[in-house]
Amino acid sequence: GENVEQHPSTLSVQEGDSAVIKCTYSDSASNYFPWYKQELGKGPQLIIDIRSNVGEKKDQRIAVTLNKTAKHFSLHITETQPEDSAVYFCAASKGGSYIPTFGRGTSLIVHP
Amino acid sequence: DAGVIQSPRHEVTEMGQEVTLRCKPISGHDYLFWYRQTMMRGLELLIYFNNNVPIDDSGMPEDRFSAKMPNASFSTLKIQPSEPRDSAVYFCASSPQRLAGIPNEQYFGPGTRLTVT
């Protein structure tokens, strides 16, 4: 089955810095890669996703890149703000299966 | 839309008691998922439904766990009897189907924090 590795497990940055979270996956058939943000006491919420027919996608301060050859994808957050502090999860899934495999999560702490 | 609704938000019960968690998915979504989240194991998929039919329950840990979806707007996850190791946050999520065979984003509810003493 699919295996998703996520690094780092904890990331601490100063407000205004950039943050990068990386994930690798094992199943070359995976073609959908969402990122979720989970704030304390809440459920994960989708923040951005990418499909395997594109290499990069941006939405304001966040971007995701995908390298299908290397089987890794990354989340980039620029100009971080304290409200970006949360746990971020990457996931991978493929056509024909609606079950995403989640990474273990990255706790992002943005210091004001 | 109100999003995915779960109840109760918190549940504290004694070992051996029956626990029922409830979920109302987003209207029009074809898929419903039940997850369990713990520090040790992260997010675990327990079971998922497509058009009210259970498709994969391989994540259900034991026969003590059961899930139903009697209609498109309601699902339950039941634990009977409950044990302390069942303590976790349980999430329900729903997902739309736009094209056959194409996975899509999931919308999570706020979760139910279960504590079994």
Side-chain angles (χ1 to χ4, degrees):
Chain A
E2 175 67 280
N3 182 48
V4 176
E5 300 280 343
Q6 183 173 348
H7 299 280
S9 57
T10 305
L11 180 58
S12 183
V13 300
Q14 290 294 128
E15 182 177 0
D17 288 349
S18 294
V20 181
I21 302 170
K22 299 181 179 181
C23 289
T24 61
Y25 60 98
S26 60
D27 190 341
S28 57
S30 289
N31 58 5
Y32 176 63
F33 308 92
W35 286 88
Y36 293 85
K37 175 183 181 182
Q38 185 177 21
E39 297 176 332
L40 198 61
K42 297 183 179 181
Q45 301 297 311
L46 179 77
I47 55 171
I48 195 168
D49 58 8
I50 191 168
R51 297 189 186 272
S52 59
N53 56 345
V54 298
E56 183 176 5
K57 184 176 179 180
K58 290 183 179 180
D59 183 3
Q60 299 183 333
R61 295 186 297 107
I62 60 174
V64 58
T65 59
L66 172 64
N67 184 326
K68 287 182 61 180
T69 302
K71 290 190 282 189
H72 67 70
F73 56 112
S74 301
L75 177 71
H76 305 252
I77 306 174
T78 59
E79 300 174 19
T80 53
Q81 301 168 3
E83 52 264 39
D84 295 329
S85 297
V87 178
Y88 292 80
F89 293 93
C90 64
S93 56
K94 60 185 178 183
S97 170
Y98 295 89
I99 305 175
T101 301
F102 284 89
R104 290 303 304 270
T106 295
S107 177
L108 173 64
I109 303 167
V110 181
H111 299 279
Chain B
D1 198 319
V4 175
I5 299 172
Q6 290 187 247
S7 64
R9 294 295 312 277
H10 302 272
E11 178 79 40
V12 180
T13 190
E14 292 184 347
M15 182 175 62
Q17 296 298 305
E18 176 181 303
V19 175
T20 299
L21 311 181
R22 297 173 177 80
C23 173
K24 176 178 169 57
I26 293 173
S27 177
H29 282 192
D30 302 281
Y31 290 86
L32 184 139
F33 304 79
W34 282 101
Y35 288 91
R36 178 171 67 177
Q37 186 177 42
T38 61
M39 288 294 293
M40 290 295 293
R41 301 173 70 91
L43 266 172
E44 299 176 273
L45 178 68
L46 301 177
I47 185 171
Y48 83 97
F49 296 82
N50 178 213
N51 293 324
N52 315 337
V53 176
I55 303 300
D56 187 339
D57 65 353
S58 59
M60 297 285 261
E62 302 169 33
D63 291 344
R64 299 185 296 107
F65 286 69
S66 62
K68 294 182 180 179
M69 192 166 185
N71 57 62
S73 59
F74 184 65
S75 177
T76 60
L77 178 67
K78 184 179 293 186
I79 308 172
Q80 180 185 20
S82 58
E83 297 183 2
R85 59 194 168 117
D86 301 330
S87 297
V89 181
Y90 291 80
F91 289 104
C92 174
S94 68
S95 182
Q97 177 174 336
R98 300 191 180 93
L99 294 173
I102 306 297
N104 290 298
E105 70 278 13
Q106 296 184 331
Y107 296 82
F108 284 79
T112 295
R113 180 173 295 277
L114 174 65
T115 303
V116 183
T117 61

